[in-house]
Amino acid sequence: MRAATHPGFDRFVIDLGDGPIPAWTESIQTEPLTCCGDETNEHVIPVTGKSYLKIHLSPASSFDFKSQTPLYSSPRHSTFNFKSLKGQGLTGTVDPEAREFRIGLALGDHSSYKIYKLAGPNRLVVDINH
């Protein structure tokens, strides 16, 4: 995972491994991002925004169950002082059955966003326009 600001937009990139690039779904919400578990034990991720973009990739995982090693080495949450991108946080747990990777972005003022995939190396890119 990495993030940067550019003239006119902020960019968030999820570096993916080899193989097919997973499909994704996205949703916007105004409630703060939460993680991990059911309604009785979820906690608010400490990133603040005006709205939140949730992204679910599937099939994908942040953990290699065969070798019992993590694949995700970035922080579980980060804050950014960019114009449109204010933070990120993992919003899902590692589940060998679900095979989903869930992450949320805290957004400030923005006009629109675009999510797309790039290959060589595989990555998912989110551009958030100012």
Side-chain angles (χ1 to χ4, degrees):
M1 179 285 302
R2 61 185 184 276
T5 189
H6 303 278
F9 67 98
D10 296 334
R11 176 168 285 167
F12 183 79
V13 178
I14 302 169
D15 293 309
L16 304 168
D18 296 332
I21 295 175
W24 69 88
T25 60
E26 68 213 55
S27 62
I28 290 279
Q29 66 186 41
T30 55
E31 301 84 24
L33 298 171
T34 59
C35 184
C36 291
D38 60 31
E39 296 80 28
T40 61
N41 65 1
E42 285 200 344
H43 64 275
V44 173
I45 298 170
V47 295
T48 304
K50 291 184 176 181
S51 63
Y52 302 88
L53 173 60
K54 292 176 74 174
I55 303 168
H56 296 187
L57 290 95
S58 180
S61 182
S62 62
F63 193 79
D64 183 333
F65 293 96
K66 281 186 181 175
S67 66
Q68 294 293 301
T69 58
L71 300 171
Y72 182 83
S73 59
S74 295
R76 294 190 60 76
H77 60 83
S78 304
T79 57
F80 309 113
N81 193 23
F82 303 154
K83 187 170 183 177
S84 296
L85 179 59
K86 300 301 181 181
Q88 68 84 20
L90 293 181
T91 60
T93 58
V94 176
D95 182 343
E97 301 300 319
R99 300 286 299 159
E100 290 184 333
F101 178 79
R102 298 178 182 194
I103 196 161
L105 304 181
L107 305 177
D109 293 325
H110 70 285
S111 60
S112 62
Y113 68 88
K114 179 171 76 170
I115 302 176
Y116 54 98
K117 60 185 176 181
L118 294 174
N122 291 345
R123 57 209 183 276
L124 190 73
V125 178
V126 183
D127 287 340
I128 305 111
N129 296 313
H130 299 161

